[in-house]
Amino acid sequence: MTFKDLQLIEPILKALINEGYSVPTPIQEKAIPVLLQGKDVLGCAATGTGKTAAFSIPVLQKLQIESENPSENYFNKSKTNRKPVKALILTPTRELASQIGDSFSAYGKFTSLKHTVIYGGVNQRSQTDALRKGVDILVATPGRLLDLVNQGYVNLRHVDFFILDEADRMLDMGFINDI
């Protein structure tokens, strides 16, 4: 099986080829078709097996298709005149958040979608500037996400895709109340 067999759109196939990928890993082969059908998935696989691509590729595809064929309510700008966050990926560490952001950059390179990564331990200015401009996809750690929600920079009302990456680790790290 190839990525083309998974019925991926041209911008994503082009990005995957650009990254040197042609054959999906087992987790990708199983998860991508199910996620493209709009179903929920609980995936477990070893580190380095492509779990991030398994969830990011379907999110990118579904959002790109919607952006090209917007329904009446999709991509409507809020009172702030910016695109609402449509996908939220919550992850336990800034390192993982950054890696996931890099994956969205790579796989979404030829789409019109915008994403940003927010995490604590750094000045929030560049993060809030990106949020003000509007993003389709938000990758975040729990603490910074809650902080920016409470400050009014993040509105989660329009989220259609919610991914908990390494949920077990977040719980082990004490994020149960934040989640």
Side-chain angles (χ1 to χ4, degrees), residues 89-104:
I89 297 84
L90 200 57
T91 189
T93 67
R94 71 179 98 174
E95 294 81 12
L96 188 53
S98 188
Q99 290 171 10
I100 293 168
D102 291 345
S103 293
F104 274 100

Side-chain angles (χ1 to χ4, degrees), residues 141-160:
T141 56
R144 180 55 60 101
L145 176 64
L146 283 175
D147 187 27
L148 294 181
V149 165
N150 290 333
Q151 291 181 53
Y153 288 108
V154 178
N155 180 336
L156 302 175
R157 189 173 321 149
H158 300 282
V159 169
D160 289 332

Side-chain angles (χ1 to χ4, degrees), residues 19-140:
E19 291 295 310
Y21 302 138
S22 59
V23 178
T25 65
I27 185 92
Q28 294 163 356
E29 189 175 320
K30 289 182 172 129
I32 290 172
V34 174
L35 290 168
L36 288 174
Q37 292 173 18
K39 296 179 181 174
D40 294 338
V41 168
L42 174 62
C44 296
T47 300
T49 58
K51 291 184 298 290
T52 301
F55 67 74
S56 60
I57 290 169
V59 166
L60 286 163
Q61 175 149 322
K62 291 186 78 67
L63 289 178
Q64 181 64 24
I65 290 170
E66 280 290 333
S67 74
E68 293 170 358
N69 307 296
S71 65
E72 188 175 311
N73 297 320
Y74 197 83
F75 282 99
N76 284 346
K77 294 183 178 180
S78 64
K79 292 181 224 170
T80 59
N81 203 30
R82 64 179 174 225
K83 284 195 233 178
V85 174
K86 301 299 290 179
L88 172 64
I89 297 84
L90 200 57
T91 189
T93 67
R94 71 179 98 174
E95 294 81 12
L96 188 53
S98 188
Q99 290 171 10
I100 293 168
D102 291 345
S103 293
F104 274 100
S105 293
Y107 310 140
K109 183 180 202 170
F110 302 109
T111 70
S112 62
L113 303 171
K114 299 206 180 310
H115 77 278
T116 198
V117 178
I118 62 171
Y119 51 79
V122 297
N123 188 304
Q124 72 180 31
R125 177 70 183 226
S126 64
Q127 297 172 3
T128 58
D129 287 349
L131 291 166
R132 271 192 211 99
K133 291 177 185 172
V135 296
D136 305 294
I137 302 160
L138 179 60
V139 181

